[in-house]
Amino acid sequence: MKQIYLLAFILLAAGACRQKSESGESRVVITGIDSTKKPGDDFFMYANGIWYDTIRIPDSQTGVGSYSFLNYPQRKRLQGILDSISAASNASGSVEQKVGDFYASGMDTATINKRGHQPLQPLLSRIDAVSDVPSLLKLVAEEQKAGNSSIVGFYVGPDDKQSTVNIAQFYQTGIGLPERDYYFKSDSTSTGIQQAYQAYLTRLFELSGTASEVARKNAVLTYGIEKQLAAAHRTNVALRDVKANYNKLAVEALSKKHPNLNWTGLLNELGAKVDSVNVGQPGYYDKLNAMLTSVPLADWKVYLKAHALTNYADFLSQLFVDASFDYTKILTGQAVKQTRAEEMTQAIDQSLGDALAQLYVKKYFPESAKKRMAVLVENLKKAFEARIDRLDWMSDSTKAKAKDKLHAFTQKIGYPDKWRDYTQVTVKRTTYFENRLSADKNEYLYNLNKLGQPVDRTEWHTTPPTVTAYNNPPLNEIVFPAGILQPPYFDVNADDALNYGGIGMVIGHEITHSFDDQGAQFDKAGNVTDWWTKSYYAKFKARTQQVIDQYNAFTVLDSMHIKGALTVGENTADIAGVAIAYDAFKLTEQGKDTTKLDGFTPDQRFFISIARIWRVKTRDAYMSMYVNTNPHSPAKWRVNGPLMNFTPFYKAFNVQPGDKMYKPEKDRITVW
């Protein structure tokens, strides 16, 4: 039954069915077009309206459809693997043993509930024993190494100006709400979330043995500290400024500037003995340094307990898990908790991702998909190069550098050539909390060991089963995991129109990220440098400002507007991604033809496919959080926004003046 449900879900998400031709070959047939809608008024609803109006969001989900929500049926696949592996007898230390026993430990809720918050008690006692600021920072560093981040945000990654080497990096952190602005808004939705968060903190303190009145005071106190820290945070838009977030500083100078933080001692405790670090947002650490003495030590201890409780709540008994979900309901609108098996599947994907991925790839990812995908990527790169040549706003010398960067791309498809080693992760069937802790500690050491070392350009930064794709500017790479190489994005049985409108658009999108408002600041080696002339970069910025202005005008949930400056990179990539995919499609035999299938021309099938890959429906609360925090536009505008700027779409569906999506040709935006 699970397999039937999964297949039905994927076909529904694709908005298509399979049909055999007279020759016996299978192909994908387009169904479900809402002919009551005009394509030129709202193409998203024209292609998806019947589905959108009839689909029900599962109570345990915040949305349904494609892209990230396609990870829901993916988890069903992974869950099937885990159910099988955990019931088998596996060799000690094997991938199957670690994955199977980890899953079994998380499913053993009787043991987890019996333990209550006992696994966390040693940490709470250590917090009680903190006697001064140095011992507080020592504990903060120790917990950072265990995956429990609080007031210090630390990781190891490529130096933006010397991308071959990994350096120590620090970023703003310390808050519990999704981002800084949640602390300062006074609308009813925001205040409701603020109250729900404080109620959540109160409940966690109560569950750990604190009297109700004291628990409420602790929650208010914690929230007050977080709000002070939030005031020093940069906004989501400011975080897009690549150069402003690169501040490589000498540790000696930082120690003098921030005597309370004692950077030398802090770095030693973190295991990072270096003489310089990148501090992404220095204002946050200026504020933290001052607060370490302005906020009483006793208050800091309450704060650290609150963050330990929120960090580990989902590792503890059902009462803690329920408290966490009660807050999640307010934040996202999700009505019902996911099943325990679903939660454990996600936990293992996070903790032992490559181990689980090996089992997934073996069962679900055909090499034929990888080979066809490689051809698609090459065709998209050729199409993008041709578009660079045709640009009328860029000099020949700058075009040459842009093409050099394009030719230097690393492309990763399906899964990595080498898998992560989890030898150091200890997994037992009866100790779920300790299993999670061991995995988190292993993750920290894995990243710490990169410090000062050459950047490993073969490393992946997502797990292969995940439905996503990404561009990594410091490595100048584009990555397409096995998870996204399925309908509605990619189908070995689909015609080129559907695959180029689907995964082709995604490939074009990811290629463009190397040339969006952030990616354009990195050269072909992944270094932040001025490879543009000032005058042509100014022309580029003027075009991206047009993108910002257009998307600022789009509304979501009645009066809420898309944040054009937050989403400009993704919107630029969407606009160019459609154009690049279309150009590449035109190089195929079907792209040169006009023969109709299912009553649609090849061009119409291409554009319908674009609408289908962003077929998503979400809860309003989730959408509100999404617009406030996510650099991607909502699904509808990932379709309508790019298409209203693309003249071939107008021709394919006879879009005319008076149609809601119509823009005069002179106003249609082209960046790349």
Side-chain angles (χ1 to χ4, degrees):
M1 180 63 72
K2 288 179 181 176
Q3 290 178 335
I4 294 171
Y5 171 78
L6 175 62
L7 179 61
F9 190 99
I10 290 177
L11 291 179
L12 182 61
C17 63
R18 296 183 188 280
Q19 175 178 299
K20 286 194 174 181
S21 66
E22 292 180 2
S23 64
E25 294 180 348
S26 178
R27 73 173 182 84
V28 177
V29 179
I30 290 176
T31 61
I33 296 295
D34 187 350
S35 57
T36 67
K37 303 285 195 308
K38 284 187 68 176
D41 280 345
D42 186 342
F43 193 70
F44 177 87
M45 291 303 287
Y46 166 78
N48 299 316
I50 293 174
W51 174 87
Y52 193 91
D53 291 340
T54 57
I55 194 70
R56 185 183 68 83
I57 300 172
D59 289 341
S60 61
Q61 305 299 315
T62 55
V64 66
S66 57
Y67 194 49
S68 61
F69 295 104
L70 195 56
N71 283 307
Y72 175 69
Q74 279 294 88
R75 288 195 292 271
K76 292 292 185 182
R77 285 181 165 184
L78 296 172
Q79 184 183 325
I81 293 171
L82 291 168
D83 285 336
S84 175
I85 293 293
S86 64
S89 178
N90 303 303
S92 178
S94 66
V95 166
E96 290 80 2
Q97 179 266 316
K98 287 187 184 292
V99 167
D101 286 359
F102 200 117
Y103 181 70
S105 73
M107 294 299 292
D108 184 6
T109 54
T111 298
I112 293 170
N113 289 337
K114 185 177 180 180
R115 297 182 77 190
H117 76 284
Q118 174 266 322
L120 195 58
Q121 193 55 54
L123 172 55
L124 299 179
S125 297
R126 283 169 48 223
I127 293 172
D128 282 331
V130 166
S131 57
D132 51 24
V133 170
S135 63
L136 180 146
L137 290 172
K138 179 179 173 65
L139 183 141
V140 165
E142 289 172 348
E143 282 304 296
Q144 182 78 23
K145 292 187 285 187
N148 176 27
S149 177
S150 56
I151 55 175
V152 171
F154 168 73
Y155 72 102
V156 175
D159 185 330
D160 276 355
K161 293 194 175 180
Q162 190 182 354
S163 65
T164 57
V165 179
N166 286 303
I167 62 171
Q169 316 241 17
F170 287 83
Y171 58 92
Q172 65 189 31
T173 184
I175 62 176
L177 290 177
E179 53 95 30
R180 73 172 305 281
D181 289 351
Y182 275 84
Y183 290 88
F184 306 107
K185 291 180 179 178
S186 57
D187 60 277
S188 59
T189 298
S190 299
T191 55
I193 291 171
Q194 293 163 10
Q195 291 164 6
Y197 178 56
Q198 292 181 62
Y200 171 43
L201 295 178
T202 300
R203 184 67 182 135
L204 290 180
F205 276 112
E206 290 174 340
L207 290 172
S208 63
T210 303
S212 295
E213 186 177 343
V214 176
R216 282 193 293 274
K217 290 180 180 178
N218 286 351
V220 171
L221 187 155
T222 299
Y223 185 84
I225 292 175
E226 290 183 4
K227 190 170 183 178
Q228 289 187 65
L229 292 172
H233 273 224
R234 288 183 179 165
T235 65
N236 283 344
V237 173
L239 290 174
R240 294 192 58 79
D241 188 331
V242 173
K243 292 179 180 177
N245 290 291
Y246 182 82
N247 304 282
K248 195 172 180 181
L249 303 167
V251 173
E252 184 178 358
L254 279 170
S255 293
K256 291 178 180 177
K257 185 180 182 183
H258 300 146
N260 298 326
L261 268 169
N262 182 17
W263 281 93
T264 301
L266 177 64
L267 285 161
N268 286 340
E269 292 292 345
L270 290 169
K273 297 182 180 180
V274 294
D275 57 14
S276 64
V277 299
N278 178 47
V279 182
Q281 299 78 41
Y284 171 79
Y285 288 93
D286 293 344
K287 182 71 170 179
L288 177 60
N289 178 70
M291 287 177 63
L292 284 171
T293 51
S294 65
V295 174
L297 186 64
D299 293 358
W300 275 120
K301 290 159 76 168
V302 169
Y303 167 92
L304 290 179
K305 285 184 178 181
H307 277 253
L309 288 164
T310 55
N311 185 66
Y312 293 117
D314 289 326
F315 300 6
L316 301 172
S317 68
Q318 194 63 45
L319 291 173
F320 285 86
V321 173
D322 289 344
S324 175
F325 179 68
D326 285 343
Y327 168 56
T328 298
K329 281 195 294 188
I330 303 299
L331 192 61
T332 68
Q334 182 179 331
V336 174
K337 280 179 83 285
Q338 294 178 358
T339 66
R340 184 72 181 180
E342 289 176 78
E343 291 173 346
M344 289 309 102
T345 300
Q346 292 179 75
I348 294 168
D349 189 45
Q350 293 167 6
S351 297
L352 300 172
D354 268 21
L356 180 56
Q358 292 177 57
L359 306 176
Y360 171 84
V361 166
K362 190 183 299 183
K363 187 170 183 177
Y364 289 111
F365 186 65
E367 285 301 311
S368 59
K370 191 170 186 175
K371 291 176 181 177
R372 189 169 177 188
M373 183 66 177
V375 172
L376 280 159
V377 172
E378 287 305 315
N379 287 348
L380 267 291
K381 287 165 67 178
K382 290 176 185 175
F384 190 68
E385 181 172 6
R387 292 191 71 82
I388 292 173
D389 284 333
R390 295 197 300 268
L391 290 175
D392 60 4
W393 57 269
M394 182 180 277
S395 68
D396 289 343
S397 61
T398 309
K399 286 179 181 179
K401 291 178 181 178
K403 288 191 288 186
D404 283 346
K405 183 174 182 179
L406 178 67
H407 295 153
F409 269 166
T410 298
Q411 57 202 50
K412 299 175 180 176
I413 300 170
Y415 53 90
D417 294 330
K418 61 181 180 181
W419 297 104
R420 284 275 304 273
D421 177 18
Y422 296 104
T423 303
Q424 300 304 313
V425 181
T426 301
V427 178
K428 297 179 181 179
R429 290 180 77 91
T430 56
T431 54
Y432 176 62
F433 184 92
E434 287 77 6
N435 292 343
R436 291 293 300 258
L437 213 59
S438 181
D440 285 347
K441 289 178 178 178
N442 179 71
E443 186 68 21
Y444 181 85
L445 289 174
Y446 173 79
N447 284 291
L448 183 66
N449 287 336
K450 301 175 189 176
L451 187 58
Q453 299 300 310
V455 171
D456 180 2
R457 292 183 177 267
T458 68
E459 184 181 11
W460 282 51
H461 298 284
T462 189
T463 61
T466 305
V467 182
T468 192
Y470 68 86
N471 178 302
N472 188 2
L475 271 65
N476 196 23
E477 66 177 5
I478 48 177
V479 185
F480 307 97
I484 201 169
L485 301 182
Q486 61 172 299
Y489 296 94
F490 176 81
D491 190 329
V492 292
N493 294 307
D495 52 295
D496 281 334
L498 297 186
N499 276 331
Y500 277 83
I503 198 65
M505 188 272 189
V506 174
I507 297 168
H509 173 102
E510 297 306 336
I511 288 173
T512 306
H513 271 315
S514 284
F515 304 92
D516 68 12
D517 65 307
Q518 291 182 311
Q521 298 180 60
F522 293 80
D523 66 13
K524 67 179 183 179
N527 296 312
V528 174
T529 184
D530 293 323
W531 58 275
W532 301 67
T533 61
K534 286 186 178 180
S535 62
Y536 286 103
Y537 189 69
K539 291 181 179 181
F540 167 72
K541 292 294 286 182
R543 288 172 181 260
T544 58
Q545 185 61 49
Q546 291 178 328
V547 177
I548 292 172
D549 294 342
Q550 174 180 304
Y551 282 80
N552 276 338
F554 295 150
T555 56
V556 185
L557 301 178
D558 298 326
S559 60
M560 178 179 283
H561 283 252
I562 292 175
K563 296 184 177 182
L566 175 62
T567 58
V568 59
E570 299 296 338
N571 298 333
T572 300
D574 282 345
I575 292 170
V578 168
I580 299 163
Y582 182 80
D583 286 357
F585 172 55
K586 286 295 164 182
L587 300 175
T588 69
E589 289 303 313
Q590 187 188 19
K592 298 170 185 175
D593 195 7
T594 57
T595 303
K596 290 185 177 182
L597 286 175
D598 315 321
F600 298 104
T601 67
D603 276 17
Q604 288 173 334
R605 290 174 71 83
F606 171 87
F607 291 117
I608 289 169
S609 183
I610 287 173
R612 296 298 171 86
I613 66 172
W614 305 122
R615 172 178 276 185
V616 168
K617 182 178 182 178
T618 68
R619 299 186 187 281
D620 287 353
Y622 175 85
M623 181 54 67
S624 177
M625 181 179 72
Y626 186 95
V627 172
N628 281 320
T629 62
N630 201 293
H632 300 83
S633 290
K636 175 180 177 177
W637 297 111
R638 300 198 70 173
V639 177
N640 293 357
L643 294 187
M644 62 200 302
N645 288 295
F646 195 51
T647 298
F649 165 71
Y650 285 68
K651 294 177 180 178
F653 287 96
N654 193 31
V655 180
Q656 296 293 323
D659 291 345
K660 294 178 182 177
M661 288 177 62
Y662 181 86
K663 290 177 70 175
E665 191 161 1
K666 65 181 179 61
D667 295 332
R668 295 171 200 167
I669 302 167
T670 301
V671 180
W672 292 101

